[in-house]
């Protein structure tokens, strides 16, 4: 798995303005993922972009829980939910991709998080772990056997996508330096541990041939 092949998919997760510096849920250094993703994309048989795409009334927003502070947590029917600042509202400028992201390289865009009652970190399933986005079938139909993950944020949407991909039976590579993390209360270290335990291979973009 040293290099990607025709049977490899690159999944660039949530490279959107709200997760970049100046955005509503800015990830430190978030815009630094754009250059390595653009450099890697041509080597893959399939390139997937994901786009966090919430209605304004989404229940993952602290603003929709009177009195709740952003980054506090609440219990939802499917488990503990972090209450985020309002971000990636459908059709808003912050929901748009970073302007330098090479959109022409993408085969498909998966939008997630549209159900106001359920958050959706993973590119494959909503946080109830049952409602599918359709990406798994799309990749299977194209003969994809391994997925490489990059984007934002390592400890939430990228990590959940990597764990689901491993669970679905894909070989999984995390391109660590083509990701950036939110790191909320140790969430980055926890997610890196979970990914390693699930057999996710951790690599650096620089190791890949030009
Ligand atoms: C994300 C929190 C809320 C992410 C999306 O892309 O990692 N994190 N929505
Ligand atoms: Zn979100």
């Amino acid at each position: 798995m040293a290099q990607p092949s025709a049977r490899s998919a690159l999944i660039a997760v949530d490279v959107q303005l709200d997760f970049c510096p100046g955005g509503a849920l800015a990830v430190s250094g978030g815009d630094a993922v754009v250059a390595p993703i653009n450099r890697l994309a041509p080597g893959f048989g399939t390139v997937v972009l994901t786009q966090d795409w919430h209605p304004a009334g989404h229940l993952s927003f602290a603003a929709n829980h009177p009195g709740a502070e952003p980054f506090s947590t609440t219990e939802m029917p499917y488990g503990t939910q972090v209450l985020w600042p309002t971000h990636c509202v459908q059709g808003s400028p912050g929901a748009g991709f970073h302007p330098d992201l090479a959109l022409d390289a993408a085969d498909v865009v998966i939008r997630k998080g549209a159900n106001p009652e359920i958050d959706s970190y993973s590119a494959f399933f909503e946080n109830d772990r049952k409602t599918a986005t359709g990406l798994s079938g799309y990749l299977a139909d194209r003969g994809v056997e391994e997925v490489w993950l990059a984007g934002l944020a390592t400890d939430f949407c990228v990590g959940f996508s990597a764990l689901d991909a491993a669970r679905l039976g894909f070989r999984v590579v995390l391109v660590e330096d083509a990701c950036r993390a939110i790191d909320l209360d140790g969430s980055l270290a926890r997610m890196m541990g979970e990914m390693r335990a699930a057999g996710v291979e951790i690599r650096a973009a620089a190791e890949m041939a030009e």
Side-chain angles (χ1 to χ4, degrees):
M1 212 191 310
Q3 300 296 334
S5 74
R7 293 194 174 273
S8 309
L10 177 66
I11 305 181
V13 176
D14 296 2
V15 185
Q16 292 167 264
L17 285 172
D18 270 344
F19 298 121
C20 291
L25 178 41
V27 179
S28 179
D31 51 349
V33 307
V34 172
I37 288 171
N38 288 348
R39 185 173 69 79
L40 291 174
F44 288 80
T46 300
V47 176
V48 178
L49 305 180
T50 72
Q51 196 170 23
D52 213 34
W53 195 248
H54 300 307
H58 201 267
L59 287 181
S60 76
F61 296 166
N64 293 321
H65 298 259
E69 292 292 326
F71 304 106
S72 65
T73 60
T74 190
E75 292 308 314
M76 299 286 224
Y78 53 83
T80 303
Q81 170 72 49
V82 178
L83 294 177
W84 302 108
T86 298
H87 65 279
C88 297
V89 173
Q90 295 171 0
S92 68
F97 289 111
H98 188 288
D100 297 334
L101 186 66
L103 301 184
D104 291 352
D107 294 291
V108 67
V109 177
I110 297 285
R111 286 178 168 163
K112 60 188 182 60
N115 180 339
E117 320 241 298
I118 311 178
D119 209 358
S120 192
Y121 294 150
S122 163
F124 294 96
F125 295 98
E126 296 189 357
N127 286 8
D128 63 3
R129 320 306 285 160
K130 289 197 282 277
T131 310
T133 62
L135 180 57
S136 162
Y138 176 85
L139 296 178
D141 282 351
R142 290 171 69 94
V144 170
E145 293 169 349
E146 65 180 33
V147 303
W148 299 51
L149 285 140
L152 305 170
T154 322
D155 41 347
F156 288 93
C157 292
V158 177
F160 273 67
S161 300
L163 294 175
D164 277 344
R167 189 161 60 91
L168 289 164
F170 295 101
R171 290 191 300 270
V172 186
V173 178
L174 178 81
V175 190
E176 189 175 14
D177 56 343
C179 302
R180 289 294 183 279
I182 294 173
D183 204 10
L184 195 61
D185 299 325
S187 55
L188 177 59
R190 264 199 312 280
M191 182 55 83
M192 291 303 292
E194 285 181 47
M195 285 193 277
R196 284 200 180 87
V200 174
E201 191 183 328
I202 318 286
R203 296 174 60 95
E207 293 170 38
M208 257 74 84
E210 296 290 321

